[in-house]
Amino acid sequence: MSYITNIRSHFLPVIILILLLLVISACSQRTRPAPVVSLSGSVPTKVETKNTLTADSYTVKKGETLYSIAWRAGKDVRTLANINNISAPYNIYPGQIISLTAKTSSTKGPTSDKGKNKTKNVNKELKSDYKNVANDKSGEYGGDSGGKFTKVKVPSLTQKVKNWVWPVNGRIISSFSNSAQGNKGVDIAGELNQPVKAAAEGLVVYAGNALRGYGNLIIIKHNDDYLSAYAHNETLLVKEQESVKTGQVIAKMGNTGTDKTMLHFEIRFRGKSVDPTRYLPKK
């Protein structure tokens, strides 16, 4: 027994050393980073999560429109237009500084009647501009749009959305959330180049990839209140200022701006995100 005990005591340190080396070797081989999960849902993304503009002002970048800026800021485009004295069709240019919040006077003390009258006149003009935009049923979009001049009639700004349809057939892999970092729409799984359809008739007010986190994006204006967006497309089949019908194919599904082939679909009411499933027909 003493012989066996001596053998155990002799080899025990060696056995412990071998086990430690095996553990260290296993840890050193684990070089693959942990998966990154988007804050807006369960689907990993290649780029920064879709962000919201929260500053008081914003400098326009190439490829952006007032609609795309209003979309990121979570505001109604008419609000930004009124703040910045921009009339329809809301043409802006790279380098232009857009105010995202209404400016208020910090001057204290009594104000002369002349100053009061001036303020009333400015407010009257702003209200007049807003009224003209809201009631314009037959205006036309014109001007230079990236060298591609088109002239199409704006759908009646007071028209109602007759019906909504699903933009694609597929399984919802990330639902809408009202939380600060939640998904502001729904993510629908599908196949590469699967047709993406307009959820309702309207006017294309943005088609491009200047909005980080959305990939190839289309925004459609349906009336004064509603906009819808279609993100991560492989191919865009419509252009800005183009009228579309309900169910019309506007893009091909892709994975631009994300790691998974899917459609990110949003509906916004007066600039605020709403749950699309409340408007789309039940499956």
Side-chain angles (χ1 to χ4, degrees), residues 82-118:
N82 285 335
I83 292 174
N84 294 276
N85 291 323
I86 301 174
S87 58
Y90 310 137
N91 291 326
I92 56 176
Y93 55 87
Q96 181 178 355
I97 298 177
I98 300 296
S99 295
L100 302 180
T101 57
K103 296 179 180 179
T104 57
S105 175
S106 59
T107 304
K108 296 182 180 180
T111 305
S112 66
D113 291 338
K114 184 176 181 181
K116 290 181 180 178
N117 291 334
K118 184 176 181 181

Side-chain angles (χ1 to χ4, degrees), residues 49-54 58 63-81 90 92 98-100 164 176 182-187 199 203-208 210-232 263-276:
T49 303
K50 309 171 187 65
N51 59 341
T52 300
L53 301 180
T54 56
Y58 179 75
E64 294 181 318
T65 67
L66 194 62
Y67 278 95
S68 68
I69 294 172
W71 187 270
R72 291 177 61 194
K75 296 182 181 293
D76 186 85
V77 69
R78 294 166 297 173
T79 301
L80 291 189
Y90 310 137
I92 56 176
I98 300 296
S99 295
L100 302 180
W164 297 90
F176 175 83
N183 192 8
K184 300 309 177 185
V186 292
D187 296 338
L203 185 77
V204 178
V205 293
Y206 182 81
L211 278 70
R212 188 176 184 183
Y214 284 92
N216 293 328
L217 171 71
I218 291 174
I219 300 176
I220 297 177
K221 175 183 179 181
H222 303 291
N223 57 26
D224 268 350
D225 294 325
Y226 288 99
L227 296 171
S228 63
Y230 313 74
H232 306 310
L263 174 72
H264 175 76
F265 176 67
E266 294 186 29
I267 294 178
R268 295 202 181 180
F269 176 73
R270 297 177 183 173
K272 302 299 180 183
S273 301
V274 294
D275 187 351

Side-chain angles (χ1 to χ4, degrees), residues 43 49 94 102 125-126 140 150 168 172 185 187 242-243 264 282:
V43 181
T49 303
E125 289 177 4
L126 289 175
E140 293 184 344
T150 58
V168 293
I172 294 179
D187 296 338
E242 183 175 338
S243 295
H264 175 76
K282 302 297 181 183

Side-chain angles (χ1 to χ4, degrees), residues 93-283:
Y93 55 87
Q96 181 178 355
I97 298 177
I98 300 296
S99 295
L100 302 180
T101 57
K103 296 179 180 179
T104 57
S105 175
S106 59
T107 304
K108 296 182 180 180
T111 305
S112 66
D113 291 338
K114 184 176 181 181
K116 290 181 180 178
N117 291 334
K118 184 176 181 181
T119 302
K120 289 180 180 179
N121 289 335
V122 171
N123 290 336
K124 186 176 180 181
E125 289 177 4
L126 289 175
K127 289 180 181 178
S128 177
D129 289 342
Y130 183 89
K131 185 176 180 181
N132 289 337
V133 171
N135 292 333
D136 183 6
K137 296 182 179 180
S138 59
E140 293 184 344
Y141 271 52
D144 186 1
S145 178
K148 300 176 182 178
F149 177 81
T150 58
K151 206 171 185 180
V152 297
K153 288 190 175 182
V154 178
S156 172
L157 297 176
T158 56
Q159 68 182 8
K160 293 182 179 180
V161 179
K162 295 179 181 178
N163 64 296
W164 297 90
V165 300
W166 284 86
V168 293
N169 292 322
R171 178 174 57 90
I172 294 179
I173 54 177
S174 183
S175 301
F176 175 83
S177 172
N178 268 322
S179 64
Q181 297 294 339
N183 192 8
K184 300 309 177 185
V186 292
D187 296 338
I188 308 172
E191 302 295 330
L192 185 65
N193 291 321
Q194 181 177 337
V196 175
K197 302 176 182 179
E201 70 173 319
L203 185 77
V204 178
V205 293
Y206 182 81
N209 56 9
L211 278 70
R212 188 176 184 183
Y214 284 92
N216 293 328
L217 171 71
I218 291 174
I219 300 176
I220 297 177
K221 175 183 179 181
H222 303 291
N223 57 26
D224 268 350
D225 294 325
Y226 288 99
L227 296 171
S228 63
Y230 313 74
H232 306 310
N233 300 289
E234 178 70 17
T235 308
L236 304 182
L237 302 178
V238 292
K239 299 178 181 179
E240 291 174 10
Q241 300 187 357
E242 183 175 338
S243 295
V244 295
K245 300 294 184 183
T246 304
Q248 178 180 333
V249 177
I250 58 174
K252 298 292 185 181
M253 187 185 290
N255 54 16
T256 56
T258 182
D259 284 338
K260 190 169 187 176
T261 299
M262 66 176 187
L263 174 72
H264 175 76
F265 176 67
E266 294 186 29
I267 294 178
R268 295 202 181 180
F269 176 73
R270 297 177 183 173
K272 302 299 180 183
S273 301
V274 294
D275 187 351
T277 60
R278 292 174 51 195
Y279 298 86
L280 298 171
K282 302 297 181 183
K283 287 187 175 182

Side-chain angles (χ1 to χ4, degrees), residues 1-37:
M1 290 293 293
S2 60
Y3 177 74
I4 295 174
T5 302
N6 289 335
I7 293 176
R8 286 179 178 175
S9 61
H10 179 74
F11 284 102
L12 183 59
V14 177
I15 294 172
I16 293 174
L17 179 61
I18 292 173
L19 290 174
L20 288 173
L21 290 174
L22 288 174
V23 171
I24 294 172
S25 175
C27 292
S28 64
Q29 292 176 4
R30 190 176 180 179
T31 58
R32 186 177 180 182
V36 177
V37 179

